Amino acid sequence: MGCSEAASAAGKPSDAEVLAEWERSGVRFAASSGRLEQVHDAARRRLLDCIVPTLDLGPILQEGGVYRGCWLESTGTINSELLARFVPSVAANTYLGFAKLQREDGLLPYKITEHGPVFRQIQLVTPLARSAWGYYLLHGKPQAFLRSMYDALAGFDRWLAEWRDTRGTGCVEAFCTFDTGHDGSPRFWHVPDTPHLGDPQRVDPHSPVLPFLAPDMTAHVYCQRLILAKMAEALGEPEESASAWRAKAEQTLDSLFRHCYDEEDAFFYDRDRQGELVRVQSDVLLRVLACEVGDRAFFDEALRRYLLCTRKFFTKYPFPSIAMDDPRFNPNSNYNSWAGPTNFLSIIRTAHAFEHHHRYVELTWVMQPLLSAMSRMTRFSQTLCPWTGEEGYTEAYSPAILGVLDYVERLCGILPVADEKGSLWFTGLVPYAMDHGTEVAEETAYSRNVDGAVFELFNTREGSEICRNGETWVRFPYGLRVVTDRKGGLLGVIGMVSVPVTGTVSYEGREIPVTVKGNEWLAFENGIFVSKRDIGVVYPTY
């Protein structure tokens, strides 16, 4: 369906404008076989259901399905972070909506609805600062946008320090289940869903266990403070402002490890009011890692012991919300549950954790089975069964919709990277037939407009070709990711499969030999490829 045809079928006055913006992105996906192309098209159409003019904010992203509104932990952060690559104006409206509706004391709403902002709890997972900073880098470094977000987030940081550190540990405290969005998780058994008397500044004084020192919320603040330092520098704040943010971040990191980390388990747990660790191994680990906690060696150990361990979290369709060897694990995906099923919010939060440490190959092992499951989707549910990949609770859920768009672009498309170089990733893989031999997409094509140029990527199992404005630009072997600047200038290649790839890269009339190992980064310098990073591959455990 073309833009004009889709606009005529659109149901809201704002839909035509949103569709036109999508059309300007130039994003299109085609596959020679399988259902993934049809699911991708359906995701684009269903995305409109989740973009709704709200209050005086303009069109903003909503969670979708049974969730009427925009949640800070998801819609206002990671969901919009993905949306910013496709419909950036709506992502910006969504971010700025939280800043505009901030309470005078600095508290951000945990949710925005058609009736206004809601402040009952805080609901923190992905740092808003990280999402906003990515938008800033991707879209021309708008100073007014950055100033609004910086001021709002600095105020929110002050609120958290004043009201969510009642035990004086330097950690951020959870007063209820909904503070983390972990609905139904055994992590919060015998804990109320909402704060005391619906007040985010109050904890139940009679609870034997609350408040929890929450590792995911503490990691959130750590990461947020690091990025606030970058924002301060970009805005020309006094040098001591950035230094102060970094010092605060280090203090938060120290508190996180001192109070919430168990060295023997190499895992992060809540610590309750009695000083006991709440030993539920959940996707808290993934949340903390996505907040850039720990170096590569730390992340690799988490991969070996947990994320790539088939006894723990490496299910057939990863990642479940509770470790499989925990007796409280329940894979039932037919209701809103973080007690076992694979949630799409975890799926879309995963990439940053892996890519921050350049674990690109390992991420494909997560993505491939999930793309097989996505190719069978009809409803865009909140959850998947970790055993079968079947859709679970609710429908038209924006994390699922954006999950399809993101994973297709990340595995076999053209992805603009939120970095200082303005990099583009052209990934030469195709989805693999993981389920019963059913083909997902044997050959693929993807297009995207970047700064007035039309880029296309064609992938087969024999090799890949990039076209720029209709002419062949780069040819390269299957299993590589080509990295360019925004004009298409070759910066280097990354090995995207676990075995070495040998062949030639055709660029600017030259045939350049290349051999690249899994995860290896070869920079293109003076007409040749030079190895700059070779970290090996971390393999699954059992």
Side-chain angles (χ1 to χ4, degrees):
M1 181 182 290
C3 181
S4 58
E5 182 183 353
S8 67
K12 303 186 296 294
S14 62
D15 287 353
E17 182 180 342
V18 171
L19 284 165
E21 187 170 356
W22 177 286
E23 193 76 3
R24 289 193 294 274
S25 76
V27 170
R28 289 181 174 82
F29 170 68
S32 63
S33 59
R35 290 198 63 252
L36 191 58
E37 180 181 348
Q38 289 71 36
V39 173
H40 188 275
D41 288 344
R44 183 180 62 139
R45 292 193 300 271
R46 296 304 298 269
L47 181 62
L48 290 174
D49 297 340
C50 302
I51 296 175
V52 181
T54 304
L55 306 175
D56 61 350
L57 306 175
I60 68 170
L61 187 63
Q62 296 208 352
E63 193 76 355
V66 299
Y67 304 100
R68 307 300 182 187
C70 176
W71 269 255
L72 178 61
E73 63 135 333
S74 50
T75 339
T77 49
I78 186 61
N79 302 15
S80 291
E81 191 173 309
L82 305 185
L83 183 68
R85 304 205 307 265
F86 305 100
V87 192
S89 71
V90 176
N93 287 349
T94 306
Y95 296 144
L96 290 169
F98 284 93
K100 291 176 181 176
L101 296 172
Q102 185 172 31
R103 219 164 64 176
E104 287 187 6
D105 65 354
L107 178 61
L108 293 176
Y110 88 88
K111 178 174 69 171
I112 299 170
T113 75
E114 61 182 327
H115 304 295
V118 187
F119 297 94
R120 184 181 60 184
Q121 63 244 18
I122 56 176
Q123 213 144 332
L124 304 183
V125 184
T126 300
L128 178 53
R130 193 193 85 194
S131 301
W133 181 249
Y135 178 91
Y136 171 78
L137 294 178
L138 271 179
H139 298 292
K141 298 186 176 180
Q143 293 294 299
F145 167 84
L146 193 66
R147 169 56 66 186
S148 294
M149 297 309 301
Y150 176 81
D151 289 346
L153 290 164
F156 187 42
D157 185 88
R158 290 190 294 271
W159 188 94
L160 288 170
E162 181 176 0
W163 295 104
R164 288 305 184 100
D165 185 18
T166 64
R167 294 165 60 179
T169 63
C171 293
V172 182
E173 295 169 352
F175 288 1
C176 63
T177 304
F178 290 172
D179 274 343
T180 67
H182 255 161
D183 306 25
S185 172
R187 173 189 181 190
F188 287 105
W189 281 357
H190 312 296
V191 167
D193 284 341
T194 58
H196 188 54
L197 303 179
D199 184 345
Q201 297 174 188
R202 300 179 69 182
V203 64
D204 179 3
H206 305 298
S207 170
V209 295
L210 292 177
F212 282 177
L213 308 182
D216 44 352
M217 296 168 69
T218 304
H220 170 113
V221 167
Y222 161 72
C223 184
Q224 191 127 289
R225 286 174 165 175
L226 287 180
I227 297 168
L228 281 165
K230 295 180 182 180
M231 290 181 170
E233 290 172 338
L235 290 167
E237 291 286 304
E239 185 176 335
E240 55 267 25
S241 295
S243 298
W245 284 122
R246 291 191 174 99
K248 288 181 178 180
E250 286 305 311
Q251 292 167 5
T252 305
L253 184 65
D254 179 71
S255 297
L256 171 67
F257 276 91
R258 187 182 322 122
H259 297 288
C260 299
Y261 184 68
D262 183 274
E263 289 193 6
E264 184 176 345
D265 290 355
F267 208 90
F268 294 94
Y269 301 107
D270 300 293
R271 191 174 291 275
D272 74 8
R273 183 177 182 172
Q274 309 304 325
E276 293 293 324
L277 290 175
V278 182
R279 293 185 181 275
V280 176
Q281 292 186 345
S282 72
D283 69 296
V284 158
L285 175 64
L286 183 62
R287 294 177 172 200
V288 171
L289 295 171
C291 288
E292 304 177 5
V293 169
D295 59 13
R296 184 184 301 127
F298 185 86
F299 183 76
D300 290 354
E301 184 66 10
L303 290 180
R304 294 185 189 96
R305 293 188 62 171
Y306 293 102
L307 296 180
L308 295 183
C309 177
T310 61
R311 184 183 296 272
K312 293 289 187 180
F313 290 96
F314 201 34
T315 51
K316 183 171 173 61
Y317 302 92
F319 289 109
S321 37
I322 296 290
M324 289 176 284
D325 61 353
D326 189 310
R328 293 159 289 196
F329 171 74
N330 177 4
N332 188 335
S333 60
N334 293 323
Y335 62 100
N336 175 21
S337 169
W338 288 83
T342 298
N343 272 261
F344 261 99
L345 277 171
S346 290
I347 289 171
I348 64 176
R349 289 167 180 155
T350 296
H352 187 84
F354 280 67
E355 290 170 352
H356 181 68
H357 297 290
H358 311 293
R359 289 293 170 200
Y360 307 109
V361 172
E362 295 85 347
L363 179 61
T364 67
W365 302 337
V366 177
M367 296 170 66
Q368 287 284 16
L370 288 169
L371 278 165
S372 286
M374 289 173 184
S375 72
R376 295 184 269 123
M377 293 199 309
T378 60
R379 295 187 289 108
F380 301 102
S381 62
Q382 173 185 329
T383 57
L384 296 176
C385 174
W387 304 146
T388 68
E390 293 300 319
E391 290 185 275
Y393 182 64
T394 200
E395 61 182 331
Y397 185 59
S398 67
I401 292 166
L402 289 158
V404 171
L405 301 177
D406 176 59
Y407 271 36
V408 166
E409 184 163 275
R410 204 170 287 276
L411 187 94
C412 55
I414 305 167
L415 190 151
V417 183
D419 62 11
E420 292 286 355
K421 296 179 181 178
S423 305
L424 301 177
W425 286 351
F426 298 82
T427 305
L429 297 173
V430 295
Y432 197 84
M434 299 293 290
D435 294 346
H436 308 291
T438 302
E439 193 64 59
V440 180
E442 188 173 356
E443 299 178 353
T444 64
Y446 199 94
S447 69
R448 177 179 273 282
N449 299 339
V450 181
D451 299 339
V454 179
F455 289 98
E456 297 167 293
L457 173 64
F458 302 92
N459 288 336
T460 72
R461 297 193 188 280
E462 285 68 50
S464 299
E465 180 176 326
I466 300 169
C467 292
R468 185 179 184 274
N469 294 331
E471 297 184 355
T472 297
W473 189 251
V474 183
R475 289 195 302 272
F476 59 99
Y478 181 85
L480 300 189
R481 171 175 284 161
V482 166
V483 183
T484 75
D485 60 26
R486 290 180 69 88
K487 294 181 180 179
L490 182 60
L491 298 177
V493 297
I494 298 169
M496 294 297 294
V497 292
S498 61
V499 298
V501 174
T502 298
T504 59
V505 174
S506 175
Y507 176 65
E508 293 187 333
R510 297 182 54 212
E511 299 293 322
I512 307 157
V514 63
T515 296
V516 58
K517 292 175 278 186
N519 292 319
E520 187 178 11
W521 162 243
L522 302 183
F524 186 63
E525 297 179 351
N526 301 316
I528 61 173
F529 290 107
V530 180
S531 181
K532 296 292 187 177
R533 185 179 60 243
D534 183 6
I535 61 175
V537 175
V538 177
Y539 294 98
T541 60
Y542 307 95

